[in-house]
Amino acid sequence: MSTPLQSHHSIEKRDTTANQVSPAVSVLEAPIVHEWPREWKAYAALVAGFFMMFNCWGMVNAYGAFLSFYDQHLLTTQSDLQLSLIGATESFLLLFPSIFAGRLLDARRHYYLGFTGFLLLFLGYLLLSFAGGNSMKDQGDYGLVWLTSGLLAGLGMTCFFTYSSHNVIQWFPRKRYIAAGITSTGAGAGGIIYPLTFKFLIANFGFPTGVRILSAVVASTTLIAFIFGMPCKDVNRRPVGSVFRFSTWIDKQAFRNKSYTLYVIAVALVYGGFYSIAFHVTEWAEVKGFGTEEDIPGSTGERPGNSGFRTFWFLAIMNGTSIIGRLASAFFATHLSNPIVVHTATCFLASLLAFFFWPFAQTNAGAIAFCSIFGILGGSMLSLPASGVAYLIPTDRQSHVGQWTGMMWSGVSIFALIGPLIAASLKRKFGMDAVGYWCGATMLLTAVLFAWSMALKRKDDKGSTTGTLVGDGEENGV
């Protein structure tokens, strides 16, 4: 006679051999999971995830426009390395505390993170408005700019970043890659809308008032994310326990998984390489003569170029086409049931593009083509890491997915900080072409590491399948 202590495996075996399991037991053991969720809260979480990405990576993607304004007008006495440090700090702080955010998400502390993110982002950009003096040339306070938009806003971004992908993956278990891809388009949308908004507000209202209006936009969109980012009730909660215990935040089992470890290193290289180009694309367009800088009221005027095309639009094109890459990568990852294949291919193509197009582009059409294609590839690369962790994590560690994802982002953060700084140093010493070579080298190494990680995953899966078959045979006396 069957008992409640029988394993799920033994129930399945009885079902296939003796066909004695009642329908009631089968339903309890294998609840129906729809292709697309039936609850409205799932789609509300999708909207929330979009606005979370809109205000974290969307704002980081927009930093090229801020950097251009600082370099041309507000902070002209600061070095390129110092200006790059502001954006690199945003990236680092967005990623590094994810080790804590991911664990809190496993404990279903979603609303604490959401409210903290809303508050810090709003205050960060509101206080940034006081860093520009009267909006006259060289009146900016570099320390205050770094403190507000780098440190404070960066800490607010991390509250939303892991939250966005973690939540939609749990709401959409059968369509996790597509849901994560849709959510990640918020980063591309923010990368278009925020630079446009920033340029318009600065030109029409000046830096202090313009940034205060921008902070209101940030507050309204993060409030939407906070209200609608409801956690999935069907996921088991893992209480945090002692905050001083190492195992509370770090799952040592993760780094015994070689495919996961290689994957983390590869993602780190992606962030160190891609944002080196994203931060310098407007300056690259100006140096190459593809466009002119924006004329800011009160500044010294436009810088000369061979084209009337504004350099700002190269960044907008890159961010805009990234939306195509994010959606396309979600489709292919779902179709192939393997996001790392897509990662490997896009990184290899991005390396070729950085090696050959960045240094040798000669015309406006070529520069626009580079930004368009690189944006598509970048969107694909940047939208997949969380899905990759969900693909790699073993079945018996599924309740740790938030923790493993947060650990990955914390590891990536170091390279996200130093990558753009290395590129800025190389540019200062060897010229603008060195940025492309740096990006190309990191992307090529990344493609190799992704392929290696995927090979190890397949080897582990094959071994696991073989072990299961042997175990079944022994149990049946074969």
Side-chain angles (χ1 to χ4, degrees):
M1 180 178 292
S2 63
T3 69
L5 298 178
Q6 285 178 298
S7 68
H8 177 66
H9 171 70
S10 64
I11 290 175
E12 285 186 336
K13 188 170 70 175
R14 289 178 57 209
D15 184 47
T16 56
T17 58
N19 197 27
Q20 296 174 349
V21 180
S22 69
V25 174
S26 298
V27 170
L28 289 173
E29 293 292 337
I32 296 173
V33 179
H34 298 288
E35 283 288 314
W36 292 96
R38 301 295 177 89
E39 277 197 73
W40 69 270
K41 291 180 180 179
Y43 299 94
L46 200 61
V47 173
F50 174 90
F51 282 112
M52 290 176 191
M53 291 295 287
F54 185 86
N55 284 291
C56 54
W57 281 117
M59 194 62 84
V60 173
N61 290 340
Y63 181 68
F66 286 80
L67 186 149
S68 178
F69 173 73
Y70 297 154
D71 180 51
Q72 181 190 357
H73 182 65
L74 196 66
L75 300 167
T76 61
T77 59
Q78 305 300 318
S79 68
D80 186 65
L81 189 66
Q82 289 174 306
L83 296 179
S84 295
L85 180 62
I86 299 171
T89 301
E90 284 183 347
S91 300
F92 173 76
L93 290 176
L94 190 158
L95 295 168
F96 181 74
S98 294
I99 194 170
F100 306 110
R103 185 63 187 87
L104 291 172
L105 289 167
D106 284 341
R108 295 174 65 86
R109 295 291 188 264
H110 295 66
Y111 288 118
Y112 293 100
L113 285 171
F115 181 75
T116 303
F118 157 73
L119 190 63
L120 290 177
L121 271 167
F122 171 57
L123 287 177
Y125 284 98
L126 178 64
L127 296 175
L128 175 63
S129 66
F130 297 98
N134 294 321
S135 198
M136 300 301 291
K137 188 176 177 65
D138 283 332
Q139 284 197 346
D141 184 330
Y142 174 79
L144 191 55
V145 171
W146 178 86
L147 183 66
T148 54
S149 65
L151 180 63
L152 200 59
L155 289 172
M157 291 173 188
T158 196
C159 297
F160 285 129
F161 175 48
T162 306
Y163 187 168
S164 63
S165 58
H166 178 276
N167 207 30
V168 297
I169 284 173
Q170 292 185 332
W171 274 112
F172 294 82
R174 300 289 294 274
K175 297 292 183 181
R176 60 174 64 182
Y177 302 140
I178 290 178
I182 293 172
T183 296
S184 73
T185 60
I192 299 171
I193 294 172
Y194 275 132
L196 284 170
T197 305
F198 178 73
K199 290 280 187 180
F200 173 80
L201 292 174
I202 296 304
N204 288 276
F205 300 100
F207 185 82
T209 304
V211 174
R212 284 171 199 143
I213 297 172
L214 186 71
S215 70
V217 176
V218 171
S220 59
T221 50
T222 52
L223 190 60
I224 292 172
F226 169 65
I227 292 172
F228 289 104
M230 293 166 276
C232 180
K233 66 180 184 304
D234 296 329
V235 178
N236 292 331
R237 175 176 175 266
R238 289 179 58 225
V240 172
S242 173
V243 296
F244 300 107
R245 189 181 304 149
F246 181 81
S247 59
T248 298
W249 311 108
I250 304 291
D251 184 2
K252 291 185 289 186
Q253 187 68 31
F255 294 106
R256 296 191 184 104
N257 186 310
K258 294 179 181 178
S259 58
Y260 171 81
T261 303
L262 286 171
Y263 187 76
V264 171
I265 297 170
V267 175
L269 290 170
V270 167
Y271 278 80
F274 175 81
Y275 280 100
S276 300
I277 280 186
F279 287 174
H280 290 93
V281 67
T282 56
E283 186 182 358
W284 168 77
E286 182 196 0
V287 168
K288 293 282 188 177
F290 300 136
T292 56
E293 284 279 5
E294 200 74 47
D295 184 22
I296 304 296
S299 72
T300 56
E302 297 180 1
R303 297 178 182 180
N306 298 329
S307 167
F309 197 81
R310 299 294 190 185
T311 57
F312 152 77
W313 286 107
F314 291 97
L315 176 64
I317 290 169
M318 186 179 292
N319 286 326
T321 56
S322 75
I323 295 175
I324 300 172
R326 292 170 191 276
L327 293 174
S329 65
F331 170 79
F332 286 114
T334 301
H335 180 70
L336 299 170
S337 299
N338 186 345
I340 305 182
V341 172
V342 183
H343 244 151
T344 305
T346 53
C347 287
F348 178 71
L349 293 174
S351 72
L352 297 180
L353 203 64
F355 273 132
F356 298 109
F357 276 72
W358 177 271
F360 302 117
Q362 300 293 329
T363 64
N364 281 39
I368 292 171
F370 168 82
C371 291
S372 300
I373 300 171
F374 195 78
I376 292 172
L377 296 173
S380 176
M381 291 184 290
L382 300 176
S383 67
L384 290 172
S387 299
V389 173
Y391 170 77
L392 289 172
I393 192 168
T395 304
D396 63 344
R397 310 299 286 182
Q398 285 294 322
S399 62
H400 296 247
V401 67
Q403 189 175 25
W404 281 40
T405 304
M407 289 162 57
M408 174 190 69
W409 290 129
S410 294
V412 167
S413 66
I414 305 298
F415 213 68
L417 174 65
I418 66 175
L421 301 182
I422 292 172
S425 297
L426 291 172
K427 188 202 77 172
R428 183 176 56 188
K429 188 170 183 179
F430 300 107
M432 184 62 72
D433 290 350
V435 176
Y437 294 133
W438 164 255
C439 177
T442 57
M443 292 298 105
L444 185 60
L445 180 56
T446 294
V448 173
L449 292 173
F450 277 135
W452 192 0
S453 172
M454 183 169 53
L456 290 176
K457 166 66 174 173
R458 288 176 174 173
K459 182 180 177 181
D460 291 342
D461 288 347
K462 186 177 180 181
S464 176
T465 302
T466 303
T468 302
L469 292 174
V470 171
D472 288 348
E474 291 173 349
E475 187 173 313
N476 285 284
V478 177

